[in-house]
Amino acid sequence: MAEDTRPTGSSFKRLFFALPVTDAQRRAIGQWRGALGLRSGKPVPRENFHLTLLFLGDVDAVQVPAIQAAVDALARPDAPLRLRLDRLSVWPRPGALVLEPQSTAAPLRQLVYALEQALLPLGIGQQRRDYRPHLTLSRDYRGQAPEASVAPEFFIAARHFTLYESRKGRYWPLAEWPLA
């Protein structure tokens, strides 16, 4: 597995936790996005669709086993996480066109909080932000959200969550944890 290195020579990985999206959901979301006729931004490849839980950023590669051990020990929801992606939004600052839920179930927020707390002793994820679940459709997007001829309504029922590495535009699963 290729690793990037810092100027100091230590290797690092760009990591995040996410709920995976099934192949059928990827196709459906991709087709829906195609009908929007986007003229701005860079579409996210369908195979990279996921629902972000927690972005860790650049992490020293030697910390990955400790991250996995910390997550192994945390309390997780004992049922699949369910949510409905039913709102198309533009996040102007990062320039992202996203699908997001109008409401977020408490178990999903609890999982994100548990992940944040589990990683604090490792010095990871100390930039606390309000959690906004989302699936990114396009990056470098400018302008208003496009009009959709069909309102978004995609249901996610995740049975596990995954630690991914982002490498050269692809997302590689490193570990996963069951939810049910």
Side-chain angles (χ1 to χ4, degrees), residues 28-160:
I29 293 168
Q31 288 172 346
W32 182 84
R33 177 185 63 187
L36 293 174
L38 299 179
R39 296 193 172 135
S40 176
K42 297 175 187 167
V44 170
R46 287 182 189 185
E47 62 270 11
N48 285 353
F49 285 166
H50 64 275
L51 189 95
T52 303
L53 293 172
L54 182 63
F55 180 73
L56 305 180
D58 295 339
V59 175
D60 285 329
V62 296
Q63 287 188 290
V64 172
I67 292 169
Q68 292 173 328
V71 175
D72 286 344
L74 70 82
R76 298 187 291 275
D78 58 2
L81 291 176
R82 300 179 192 284
L83 72 152
R84 187 171 94 187
L85 299 175
D86 56 356
R87 181 169 53 196
L88 180 63
S89 300
V90 174
W91 292 3
R93 189 164 183 231
L97 180 66
V98 301
L99 279 173
E100 57 187 345
Q102 293 204 30
S103 63
T104 305
L108 181 58
R109 289 190 183 283
Q110 291 165 350
L111 174 61
V112 171
Y113 180 76
L115 285 168
E116 291 169 342
Q117 295 304 301
L119 299 178
L120 280 177
L122 302 176
I124 298 171
Q126 295 182 6
Q127 299 174 346
R128 179 92 169 112
R129 296 181 186 148
D130 286 336
Y131 176 61
R132 290 180 65 189
H134 65 283
L135 183 147
T136 303
L137 297 171
S138 184
R139 299 188 189 291
D140 299 329
Y141 187 87
R142 301 291 173 235
Q144 301 296 318
E147 291 286 329
S149 60
V150 176
E153 191 168 40
F154 300 99
F155 295 91
I156 307 293
R159 299 190 182 285
H160 66 276

